[in-house]
Amino acid sequence: MLRISCPWCGPRDETEFGYGGQAHLKRPDNPEALDDAAWAEFLFLRDNPEGPFVERWVHSHGCRRWFNAVRDTKTDRVIATYRPDETPPEAAKMVLKGQEGGR
Amino acid sequence: MSTDLFRIPPELASPLEDIDRAHPVAFRFDGKRLRGRAGDTLASALLANGVHLVGRGIKYHRPRGIVAAGAEEPNALVQVGQGTRGEPNLKATQVALFDNLSAAPVNVWPSLKFDALAANELLSPLMVAGFYYKTFKEGPASWWDRVYEPLIRRAAGWGKAPPGPDPDTYEHTHAHCDVLVIGAGPAGLSAAKAAAESGARVMVLEDDARPGGHLLARPRRVDGRPGHQWAAETAAALAAHPEVRLLTRTTALGVYATAHVTAVERLTDHLGPGAPGPRQRLWHIRAGRIVLASGAHERPLVFADNDRPGIMLAGAVGTYVHRYGVLPGRRAVILTNNDSAYETALALLDGGGSVVAVLDTRREPSGPLVEAVRARGVPIRAGYGITGTTGRGRVKRVWISPLAEDLSPRIAETTLDCDLVAVSGGFSPVVHLWSQGQGKLAWDDRQACFVPDPARPAVEPISVAGAANGCFELAEILAQGANAGAEAARAAGFTAKATTPPGVEAPPATPPAPIWLVPSDKPPGEGVGKHFVDLQNDTTAADIALAAREGMTSVELMKRYTLAGFGTDQGKTGNINALAILAHELGKPIPEVGTTTFRPPYTPLTFGAMAGRQVGALFAPERVTPMHDRHRARGAVFEDVGPWKRARYYPEGGEDMDAAVARECRAARQAVAVLDASTLGKIEVEGPDAAAFLDRVYTNTLSTLGVGRIRYGLMLNDDGRLMDDGTVTRLGEDRYLLTTTTGGAATVMDWLEELHQTEWPELDLHLTSVTDRWAVAQVAGPKARDLLAELAPDMDLSAQALPFMRFVEGTVAGLPARVFRISFTGELSFEVAVPWSVGGALWDALFKAGGKHGLTPFGTEAMHVLRAEKGFIIVGQETDGSVTPLDLGLDWALGKKKGDYIGRRSLARADLARDDRKHLVGLLTEDPGEVLEEGAQLVDDPDQAPPMTMVGHVTSSYMSPTLERSIALALVARGRQRMGQTVHAPLADGRVVKATIVDPVFYDKEGKRRDG
């Protein structure tokens, strides 16, 4: 069971948290302007890297707040966590940059 | 009652002895009354009584005895206790003796002494590795059920599962520490001491009842004192330390991600059944660092017929002599490839036994232990092995021979009579938890064992010290422990000083000279002798050779083919021999073959410990409404809806469900009825941006809703499917109350929080769950207004003052109340919400006044029927996660003139806009008495050969008391264009039911009844 550091509450057991998939996805401002393929891309397609991944978690059985985490999908270790309103830490920035490049 | 004849006389007792001779303990084994001493294990007490034969092999049913003295025991599995307290497959070596303990062997039939299945051995040429796969695929398929499976089930398995629920209690505890030390032998104690001195919070787990490890069973001196005394003093000092928690009788079971360690503490097992308090405690420990000091297990040597009772591990024999004052035999033969077994020889001699000979597979054994044994006049035969054994139920003779240089088969040279064979093949570090923590192993050629590879450390923060690390010299063990403890404390942020390890007196620990298979007169599999590698699974060297020949060249395949390493001991003694023999067969070095995967738990644990307190009523939380007692008093039958207990119907005078539901429905349609609707989810949304937020999450426009008005709303997923429905009431300019389905309340709350926090944090609002703030009575029926008017004399509940879909606050039955004109039945209906704590008072008041109006309580089943008569959907019944509002004909609830809302774009996707999608329709069966099965598939052509073309399915189906015929709702392809057409429901019993597609609203299509 992972130990995850909630940016508000501190380190807690994984059982207190819920998972929310890839972070920093931008909801399109005007979905009506998107064709079906572009809309489906937003709805259904996610990155699935081996290695660091920036994802969303929620402290369901704690403060009930959402936050972002950088987790290495290969070792299943959380590298960093941060609040949604914070500037992402370096570990997250590197991943996000890589994702943009990959698109 | 026989006495313990094999107890060493007090004058010869070892100074290490740890039993209370003054305190006899009566127990039963296999029906026989025996006596042990306080401090015995079941195994030591049996040996003290001369009982070696304790079970039978799983496959050949050969007699088996006690082999080891701890968790690694492969043979001595027993059933302890009786009835619901009976526990199968415990290792006798780990069962603490208590008064009136009753134990029985497992896997014997009809009895231990005469086992009918011992005849299996005659069939042994057929029972080679993989014999299940090979044998049982022959014959007709029906043989499997009728012949093979019953046979195998009778023959297989060990103990019996208890016949009923476990009467004992178990608990779970969570703990946190900076340094967790696993094992309290010399390395672990030394580590814990160093870590504790730094001020770190330390936990120490010891499997044994006493800390000390091998110091409890070998004469050593540490720091000028006997080793066991040093261990006791060190442990006492640790236990007294305010930051140290030392747990004995506690086995670490597994290492999981981020230094999460589970362990089971046996609290009362040594006291016998019925002792007060929980029986076992499962610990969940979160450690900063882990120091693994789990010791090593001795390996047996593999030779012909090495499985007879009386053939034991030499170290275990030493333990029984020193610690338990037991002579496991009076005339011992020792077979070894290292010096440690010579200590056993000395122990036996000191305890009054004799040693017939030491057979040493090495050509030139030497060293102080060897010389000490030689000096006692014991013949030492260097370069010898055992080529065979005999003895029914107990070893009585061994055949011996000098080993050929190339280890080729040898005819026995002579025999030795004996009643005990003590065997040592070297030691295997207990690396299980290191491997679970994803540390890798390296093969140590000198020590002939796998050790934790420091170059490939664990992902988890584990360091290893002592014998677990392949270190067998006591001085070095203590130093490694102290270093590991200090380093762990430093890593956890404490300042740990270097310490000088205490001086020791201990014999040198020389490495073994590996010999993986002691040759007999013929190669394994060719003679009559069996060379057992895994005693618990009856795997022989011949089985492993066969597996290799048949292509099972990976160690994992070999394990599954031969079963070596399965079972309750998981091959703790046999695995290394098995893989070394495989390596030899494949002509590969041992490290290239590698080990099988070490998985938790390290030792088996009882299901009760895993379940903890989460059994019975505490298995899952149950939620009840404040009216629950009233429902019970009326004899309601309940159903589970999400976590809630809801009254399903209220049978009267022996009614069945159909009769009760019909009566409840008629009351709602003809007079007045009341439903406990408290369980519906309720969420308050408050803040200046509440209206804007709700416009984005509901399909409807809610910003235009007037204060005091109510609207039915739909909530979609991002992909346009209906997620939940409910009402939205505008309580004030900036304040809304949402209702959700009973089962969907938590999901909706989470979804709204997620959207607010992650998508639109700029919107200023708060979400508050008020589900259990308000108890709700839904009063429905033509006389609902008359009844409520009586209870709320100050409120104007007329259709003019409180029209449909309006809300008002007031006083009902003297209670502060919110009254909503909402109808889920189609009748005139009021939902009266009062504070949760007075829900019962509201219910009582309704019934006090309701008698003359014919007030009848109705349950969820009648509610389902009433709403189906009106064609109202239930999310989760008419929907299944693929259904859109368009499918349901709810287009009217989709705001056309508003901005974007969740799901809107998806409704325009090609697939959701298809015109051949399934639509919600009503169905009327040709026979009005036929109630279709919910879920029944619908077809157009009932004569089509399967697979038939299915055009839809029934979602709801009831006998309607109002219409006095059956009704159903269904999803049918293009259903709305097919009104009046016929569909067919082919049933499982072969009948085909014909039905006509109709409008889903069966009753009061004009909606005249809702105003009363």
Side-chain angles (χ1 to χ4, degrees):
Chain A
M1 177 168 44
L2 287 178
R3 192 128 168 100
I4 297 168
S5 201
C6 169
W8 286 279
C9 306
R12 295 289 189 277
D13 282 351
E14 186 181 346
T15 47
E16 292 187 14
F17 296 90
Y19 184 67
Q22 185 169 354
H24 296 297
L25 292 174
K26 172 111 177 62
R27 182 173 287 272
D29 289 328
N30 184 8
E32 304 292 325
L34 300 180
D35 63 16
D36 276 5
W39 179 243
E41 160 101 14
F42 164 73
L43 270 192
F44 304 123
L45 300 183
R46 297 292 181 268
D47 293 320
N48 185 22
E50 184 189 42
F53 184 48
V54 182
E55 56 195 20
R56 306 184 312 155
W57 287 79
V58 58
H59 195 186
S60 311
H61 301 286
C63 64
R64 299 184 55 81
R65 290 214 250 185
W66 285 83
F67 60 91
N68 298 324
V70 187
R71 186 178 59 99
D72 190 323
T73 60
K74 196 171 171 180
T75 59
D76 194 22
R77 287 299 176 279
V78 176
I79 299 161
T81 56
Y82 56 101
R83 300 193 310 262
D85 58 350
E86 265 182 299
T87 312
E90 274 315 304
K93 279 186 188 158
M94 283 171 61
V95 179
L96 295 171
K97 218 170 156 190
Q99 281 171 7
E100 277 162 29
R103 287 253 169 116
Chain B
M1 185 185 294
S2 76
T3 51
D4 36 2
L5 288 167
F6 290 81
R7 196 73 72 178
I8 292 166
E11 64 276 14
L12 296 181
S14 164
L16 296 172
E17 191 177 290
D18 192 20
I19 52 165
D20 183 355
R21 287 187 182 241
H23 185 168
V25 177
F27 70 102
R28 274 172 190 272
F29 177 73
D30 197 20
K32 231 164 68 187
R33 298 174 65 195
L34 300 166
R35 199 169 65 185
R37 305 285 162 173
D40 265 328
T41 63
L42 176 59
S44 70
L46 287 169
L47 292 172
N49 286 279
V51 178
H52 275 263
L53 172 61
V54 293
R56 293 266 174 177
I58 183 79
K59 200 155 112 183
Y60 306 116
H61 286 252
R62 286 162 60 123
R64 288 290 165 76
I66 296 160
V67 170
E72 68 275 32
E73 172 63 41
N75 271 348
L77 301 182
V78 292
Q79 179 105 14
V80 174
Q82 276 157 4
T84 52
R85 280 209 164 92
E87 194 169 359
N89 307 335
L90 295 178
K91 293 160 189 150
T93 52
Q94 291 193 298
V95 175
L97 200 67
F98 53 82
D99 260 317
N100 297 317
L101 178 146
S102 167
V106 298
N107 195 36
V108 293
W109 182 79
S111 76
L112 181 57
K113 287 263 159 59
F114 174 79
D115 187 314
L117 292 173
N120 276 0
E121 196 173 353
L122 303 175
L123 304 173
S124 67
L126 301 176
M127 299 180 77
V128 295
F131 88 105
Y132 282 87
Y133 308 111
K134 290 168 182 162
T135 308
F136 298 118
K137 66 178 189 188
E138 304 299 329
S142 64
W143 280 32
W144 179 256
D145 293 356
R146 291 187 203 155
V147 184
Y148 292 142
E149 193 176 325
L151 262 178
I152 293 169
R153 292 224 179 270
R154 154 144 245 171
W158 291 295
K160 290 181 181 65
D166 190 336
D168 290 314
T169 57
Y170 301 83
E171 62 182 32
H172 286 194
T173 302
H174 291 254
H176 301 261
C177 60
D178 299 311
V179 178
L180 172 66
V181 180
I182 297 172
L189 288 173
S190 183
K193 188 165 175 280
E197 279 166 3
S198 76
R201 177 165 295 178
V202 178
M203 277 185 81
V204 189
L205 311 180
E206 172 52 52
D207 180 51
D208 203 311
R210 270 196 220 295
H214 85 272
L215 299 178
L216 301 176
R218 304 285 176 275
R220 301 282 185 270
R221 289 187 74 78
V222 180
D223 208 10
R225 282 159 290 174
H228 68 294
Q229 197 183 319
W230 175 86
E233 286 167 16
T234 307
L238 284 170
H241 194 291
E243 290 296 332
V244 178
R245 175 142 50 187
L246 172 66
L247 300 173
T248 54
R249 302 185 202 276
T250 304
T251 312
L253 300 167
V255 172
Y256 304 86
T258 24
H260 172 218
V261 175
T262 55
V264 66
E265 181 181 13
R266 294 171 293 277
L267 295 162
T268 65
D269 282 6
H270 60 293
L271 302 175
R279 185 183 160 219
Q280 295 183 0
R281 180 181 287 145
L282 188 70
W283 287 84
H284 290 272
I285 302 164
R286 197 62 87 153
R289 300 275 317 171
I290 301 165
V291 177
L292 185 63
S294 42
H297 287 147
E298 190 165 22
R299 291 193 294 258
L301 288 167
V302 179
F303 55 92
D305 296 334
N306 56 338
D307 65 326
R308 294 187 197 280
I311 301 178
M312 301 176 66
L313 288 166
V317 171
T319 299
Y320 288 116
V321 171
H322 281 296
R323 185 166 172 189
Y324 299 102
V326 173
L327 265 190
R330 299 198 192 284
R331 283 172 302 137
V333 166
I334 288 172
L335 176 66
T336 185
N337 67 355
N338 65 83
D339 287 0
S340 73
Y342 287 82
E343 268 202 286
T344 299
L346 295 172
L348 286 166
L349 294 170
D350 290 345
S354 69
V355 177
V356 179
V358 177
L359 309 175
D360 198 319
T361 61
R362 298 173 295 179
R363 306 253 158 222
E364 289 171 0
S366 64
L369 284 170
V370 178
E371 295 320 315
V373 171
R374 207 189 301 278
R376 302 283 287 266
V378 174
I380 295 173
R381 294 186 188 240
Y384 265 70
I386 292 178
T387 64
T389 71
T390 186
R392 279 180 69 84
R394 173 86 180 259
V395 65
K396 67 174 187 193
R397 180 173 297 161
V398 297
W399 276 264
I400 67 167
S401 164
L403 299 167
E405 198 72 51
D406 61 352
L407 296 179
S408 54
R410 292 297 289 258
I411 303 295
E413 175 189 85
T414 184
T415 61
L416 299 174
D417 287 353
C418 58
D419 62 356
L420 174 70
V421 179
V423 184
S424 179
F427 294 85
S428 301
V430 179
V431 294
H432 301 62
L433 298 181
W434 164 264
S435 295
Q436 286 179 26
Q438 300 181 53
K440 302 287 183 258
L441 300 175
W443 177 254
D444 180 335
D445 223 17
R446 197 180 80 89
Q447 308 264 20
C449 60
F450 279 104
V451 293
D453 187 349
R456 294 180 297 165
V459 172
E460 299 307 324
I462 308 178
S463 51
V464 193
N469 202 27
C471 164
F472 300 103
E473 295 283 358
L474 182 55
E476 209 184 312
I477 287 171
L478 292 166
Q480 265 196 13
N483 277 339
E487 255 174 51
R490 273 184 223 117
F494 294 84
T495 311
K497 289 184 289 256
T499 49
T500 324
V504 303
E505 287 173 42
T510 52
I515 174 165
W516 303 113
L517 179 65
V518 179
S520 47
D521 57 343
K522 291 202 174 126
E526 292 180 21
V528 290
K530 289 193 190 305
H531 306 68
F532 286 95
V533 177
D534 184 315
L535 291 166
Q536 192 168 102
N537 295 295
D538 271 2
T539 307
T540 65
D543 290 330
I544 293 171
L546 181 68
R549 285 202 302 281
E550 294 190 349
M552 309 298 154
T553 53
S554 131
V555 67
E556 297 283 5
L557 286 177
M558 180 277 283
K559 169 174 175 170
R560 280 148 190 85
Y561 203 55
T562 67
L563 302 183
F566 278 97
T568 67
D569 65 336
Q570 290 285 297
K572 289 185 174 66
T573 53
N575 274 352
I576 299 296
N577 287 335
L579 67 92
I581 291 170
L582 179 66
H584 175 78
E585 291 295 326
L586 300 174
K588 282 185 182 175
I590 289 170
E592 227 172 89
V593 172
T595 65
T596 50
T597 309
F598 294 92
R599 292 190 178 87
Y602 169 68
T603 53
L605 76 160
T606 191
F607 280 108
M610 290 188 231
R613 295 273 178 181
Q614 287 174 285
V615 292
L618 299 178
F619 176 66
E622 271 176 16
R623 302 189 74 182
V624 296
T625 74
M627 290 86 136
H628 190 73
D629 295 347
R630 275 75 174 176
H631 306 327
R632 285 176 67 110
R634 282 182 183 272
V637 174
F638 292 90
E639 68 169 332
D640 293 332
V641 184
W644 293 96
K645 291 280 171 201
R646 294 198 75 179
R648 191 175 184 198
Y649 59 98
Y650 300 80
E652 279 179 6
E655 280 176 330
D656 64 6
M657 184 173 88
D658 290 344
V661 168
R663 178 179 47 74
E664 292 170 18
C665 287
R666 280 193 298 271
R669 293 273 181 244
Q670 292 163 17
V672 59
V674 59
L675 172 86
D676 179 355
S678 307
T679 62
L680 286 183
K682 305 177 229 17
I683 299 168
E684 279 200 21
V685 186
E686 197 182 356
D689 294 324
F693 177 71
L694 294 179
D695 276 350
R696 296 185 197 184
V697 298
Y698 277 97
T699 60
N700 325 54
T701 312
L702 295 163
S703 50
T704 56
L705 187 67
V707 172
R709 288 173 188 261
I710 305 168
R711 197 164 282 168
Y712 173 69
L714 302 178
M715 214 177 267
L716 308 186
N717 290 332
D718 255 326
D719 55 359
R721 322 289 171 161
L722 187 59
M723 177 183 178
D724 206 78
D725 69 344
T727 59
V728 180
T729 303
R730 193 161 197 170
L731 299 173
E733 196 52 45
D734 291 348
R735 197 164 173 210
Y736 290 81
L737 174 72
L738 325 179
T739 65
T740 74
T741 57
T742 295
T747 314
V748 170
M749 182 69 189
D750 287 348
W751 173 233
L752 297 182
E753 276 289 356
E754 178 181 343
L755 289 171
H756 178 222
Q757 290 183 36
T758 69
E759 297 293 348
W760 310 305
E762 72 282 2
L763 295 184
D764 185 2
L765 60 101
H766 289 281
L767 295 153
T768 311
S769 166
V770 294
T771 301
D772 52 12
R773 172 79 178 81
W774 297 98
V776 179
Q778 187 189 103
V779 184
K783 294 184 186 167
R785 189 177 283 122
D786 300 345
L787 168 59
L788 277 183
E790 217 176 305
L791 289 172
D794 301 337
M795 295 175 79
D796 184 353
L797 300 175
S798 66
Q800 296 72 37
L802 186 65
F804 186 60
M805 297 305 256
R806 291 290 180 93
F807 148 82
V808 69
E809 279 179 299
T811 304
V812 176
L815 307 166
R818 291 172 166 181
V819 179
F820 304 82
R821 271 288 308 277
I822 300 170
S823 180
F824 196 42
T825 56
E827 297 299 320
L828 170 66
S829 172
F830 299 84
E831 293 201 351
V832 184
V834 298
W836 191 262
S837 57
V838 293
L842 172 66
W843 196 259
D844 293 343
L846 283 167
F847 278 92
K848 200 171 167 202
K852 57 185 167 296
H853 302 287
L855 180 66
T856 301
F858 70 110
T860 50
E861 193 62 28
M863 175 194 83
H864 278 212
V865 177
L866 293 165
R867 65 88 206 178
E869 289 171 345
K870 286 292 296 173
F872 294 148
I873 62 152
I874 288 184
V875 170
Q877 187 150 346
E878 271 63 55
T879 70
D880 60 5
S882 74
V883 176
T884 73
L886 305 172
D887 301 339
L888 297 169
L890 295 173
D891 321 36
W892 58 267
L894 305 177
K896 310 283 187 298
K897 292 180 200 146
K898 61 186 282 198
D900 190 35
Y901 56 84
I902 298 286
R904 178 176 186 151
R905 173 65 185 84
S906 288
L907 290 177
R909 291 181 65 227
D911 188 60
L912 301 198
R914 255 173 37 223
D915 64 355
D916 61 345
R917 287 183 64 85
K918 291 178 187 173
H919 300 153
L920 181 72
V921 295
L923 288 183
L924 290 176
T925 51
E926 191 176 45
D927 169 5
E930 176 81 44
V931 180
L932 280 165
E933 195 81 23
E934 286 177 358
Q937 294 292 328
L938 302 171
V939 301
D940 282 333
D941 175 9
D943 299 324
Q944 190 187 0
M948 300 167 92
T949 308
M950 290 176 286
V951 297
H953 65 276
V954 177
T955 59
S956 293
S957 177
Y958 310 95
M959 177 54 71
S960 161
T962 312
L963 304 172
E964 295 180 320
R965 62 151 300 140
S966 69
I967 57 167
L969 296 173
L971 286 165
V972 175
R974 299 180 198 269
R976 282 195 290 274
Q977 283 99 59
R978 296 190 54 187
M979 289 298 151
Q981 295 181 15
T982 301
V983 285
H984 304 266
L987 302 183
D989 62 11
R991 291 184 306 130
V992 175
V993 176
K994 233 168 121 176
T996 307
I997 298 174
V998 297
D999 186 87
V1001 184
F1002 296 96
Y1003 181 65
D1004 186 27
K1005 286 186 204 291
E1006 306 78 24
K1008 286 184 298 195
R1009 303 186 61 87
R1010 71 178 192 210
D1011 288 320

